[in-house]
Amino acid sequence: MQKSKQWNVKGAMRLAGVFHFLHSCGSACLLPFLTLYFRHLGLSASMIGIIMASKHLLALVWRPSSSVLARQYDKRRTVIVGSLLTSALVVLALLLFPSAGVQTESGRCNASQPDVDPTTILQRTTVPWQSNTTVYSIDQTSVNTEQPVETSTLVTSNWSARGLRSLEKPEQEEDPHTEFLGSLKAMDAQHQMFFLVLIVMGLWEFMAAPLEWTADDGLYEYLDFVAATDRHNSVKLWKQLGAAFGNCAVGVLVTSLFCLTGTALEFYSYTVFMTLTVPTAALLPIYLRKRERPTSGGFKALQLVHGNSQAILCAVTVILIGMVSSAVSDFLLWHMQDCGATEIHMGISLALAHLSQTGFAPFAGRLSRFLKYHGWLLVIAVVSLALQCLYYSFLWGPWAVIPAQLVAGFGTGAFWWSVTSQSEDIATPGTEKTILRLFEVLSLELGAAFGSLAAGFVVQKFGVQVLFQGMAVTLALWSSALAVLKWKIPRQRRINYSRLLAADTEISESESDQEKDWLETAMEDARRNNKWTKDKS
């Protein structure tokens, strides 16, 4: 007789936790600092906004499509391992690009730069394509060396040799049928850099995007097969802890080794962690239901959201939150750098936000019961994000961001708790996960794309402080409207019969166990009585 297969759920969850911890570590080492690196390459704020928006839009289309294809052709593990390896290699191509603009040194490596004369004066030059951005050219004049010279922004030799000289050249007549590479050569250094970075970022996102949904779907179906889907949310804790560790570790390492490696250490750290994740990906528990066609769960989720007024209100809020969160993610570190912050300040502040978000979970249930309706948590989250943006606009030092980051974790936790509860309210059996994922896509991809694009042009035109203040006012107005609408619109909650059936099954099992215990006790008493009767006779 063939021995039945045993399912080690605890071991599978531990392995999944290690996988998500390592993957989140790698992502946190690089993704939050990308816009700073693009700034180092000399790209303008509007260019960076276009690059990040393109990244989100590509993920919006390719991530769900790749997940369906991997499931349909039973190639989930191949997709996961391939995504890890290819993304780890492709991202290193960004290190091949020389700086074409401003390089902020922050005075950390002056001693290691003998070519720079300490008696130079940095003169401001306005760049034509950046109305509020200045570049500093070097003027060899004598100054009083006894007075300390504040280190500002140094111009790289690439900019001096190519960038400024290309601005002075008159535009040459070009053949309208010139190939793409020829047109790149005709551009100035900054626009060349922009298109090259855009191409590499698109290729990198194409390689990295399929991983998250593919791994998550495989684990969820494995747990669903063994009736343990309630443990699926435990991997979120490991994601937050991994992100916090990655932010903090790379911040400390880059600051300590900046004079040796610069910011390239962020890219190498990403590659190392992605490579370390490969062995766990090869053993990751994945179960595929064979002979099963992919269902149109996304269309069903859209119908359920469209048919509920509270869900539509939640969807609008989710998109707005995604826009603001993306703008903060793209340009908060810019603002911190302008205030004198280094990577260690940035890494620790980002890590605190993740840790405070994990600390919200134990209090979520009590707070929701106190408010009597999870929808008010959504209002609190919007108000919290408005206060954060207002606070960000008045930063005065490297560590000044810490209080806002602690509040950010609390607000983010309240936001997703409310969105999850809203998904459960309108879900039919089997659609809870799909509806929640729909809200995640609206926030993290669609809203983020609009937010990055708009934020780039606002920062280009008015500056970072105006961006944060404008977002604070917008969120404050929406929080007031949201509270009124939440109060006016009646709450419609769909009865989830599958949960009632599961609860009834648990009650029935407990009752049957009690009956079984009573029957066994009675039989034992009967045996004792029979034995006592025989002994007496």
Side-chain angles (χ1 to χ4, degrees), residues 19-39:
F19 171 83
H20 286 288
F21 181 86
L22 292 175
H23 180 256
S24 296
C25 278
S27 299
C29 286
L30 179 60
L31 291 180
F33 304 95
L34 269 178
T35 55
L36 283 180
Y37 183 74
F38 296 155
R39 189 187 199 185

Side-chain angles (χ1 to χ4, degrees), residues 383-456:
V383 173
S384 173
L385 187 54
L387 294 176
Q388 293 167 44
C389 292
L390 183 63
Y391 184 90
Y392 290 149
S393 66
F394 295 105
L395 292 183
W396 62 90
W399 294 111
V401 74
I402 297 298
Q405 291 298 95
L406 295 174
V407 176
F410 176 86
T412 304
F415 169 69
W416 286 114
W417 180 275
S418 178
V419 171
T420 303
S421 300
Q422 180 65 61
S423 303
E424 294 172 352
D425 281 355
I426 66 173
T428 57
T431 61
E432 298 92 342
K433 185 171 180 289
T434 307
I435 294 176
L436 179 59
R437 181 166 284 180
L438 174 62
F439 284 129
E440 290 177 351
V441 167
L442 291 177
S443 177
L444 303 179
E445 306 302 346
L446 183 62
F450 291 148
S452 295
L453 186 63

Side-chain angles (χ1 to χ4, degrees), residues 26-144:
S27 299
C29 286
L30 179 60
L31 291 180
F33 304 95
L34 269 178
T35 55
L36 283 180
Y37 183 74
F38 296 155
R39 189 187 199 185
H40 160 72
L41 292 180
L43 300 182
S44 64
S46 59
M47 291 178 174
I48 294 174
I50 294 173
I51 292 172
M52 300 306 292
S54 302
K55 175 181 178 295
H56 292 300
L57 289 176
L58 179 60
L60 174 67
V61 176
W62 177 234
R63 183 172 287 135
S65 302
S66 60
S67 177
V68 172
L69 292 174
R71 185 179 191 274
Q72 185 176 359
Y73 293 100
D74 194 10
K75 297 295 182 181
R76 278 177 171 161
R77 198 178 303 278
T78 303
V79 169
I80 294 171
V81 175
S83 177
L84 288 170
L85 293 176
T86 54
S87 63
L89 295 176
V90 169
V91 74
L92 296 179
L94 292 173
L95 295 176
L96 302 177
F97 301 148
S99 174
V102 181
Q103 180 180 7
T104 304
E105 296 290 349
S106 302
R108 289 182 281 181
C109 299
N110 286 343
S112 62
Q113 303 204 17
D115 296 335
V116 179
D117 188 354
T119 63
T120 60
I121 295 179
L122 300 179
Q123 292 184 337
R124 303 176 80 115
T125 305
T126 302
V127 184
W129 58 75
Q130 289 181 280
S131 59
N132 65 334
T133 304
T134 55
V135 175
Y136 295 85
S137 59
I138 300 178
D139 181 21
Q140 300 287 343
T141 57
S142 60
V143 296
N144 187 3

Side-chain angles (χ1 to χ4, degrees), residues 480-521:
S480 302
L482 181 63
V484 174
L485 293 173
K486 282 285 184 184
W487 179 57
K488 291 288 186 180
I489 297 177
R491 182 185 178 189
Q492 302 173 2
R493 185 172 184 177
R494 187 182 297 272
I495 299 176
N496 196 326
Y497 293 100
S498 61
R499 292 185 184 175
L500 294 177
L501 181 60
D504 184 64
T505 303
E506 293 178 358
I507 295 174
S508 301
E509 290 177 354
S510 62
E511 290 178 352
S512 62
D513 291 339
Q514 293 177 0
E515 293 177 357
K516 185 178 179 181
D517 294 340
W518 174 83
L519 182 60
E520 290 178 353
T521 304

Side-chain angles (χ1 to χ4, degrees), residues 184-238:
L184 279 179
K185 293 179 181 179
M187 296 179 183
D188 57 73
Q190 191 188 39
H191 284 82
Q192 289 178 12
M193 186 67 64
F194 166 69
F195 282 105
L196 291 175
V197 171
L198 185 63
I199 293 171
V200 174
M201 285 295 294
L203 181 60
W204 178 41
E205 186 64 26
F206 183 83
M207 298 300 178
L211 187 144
E212 187 174 354
W213 278 27
T214 304
D216 186 69
D217 289 342
L219 177 62
Y220 186 83
E221 291 189 6
Y222 170 86
L223 295 175
D224 186 37
F225 180 77
V226 297
T229 53
D230 56 321
R231 301 190 182 188
H232 183 260
N233 289 331
S234 63
V235 298
K236 295 181 180 179
L237 174 63
W238 292 107

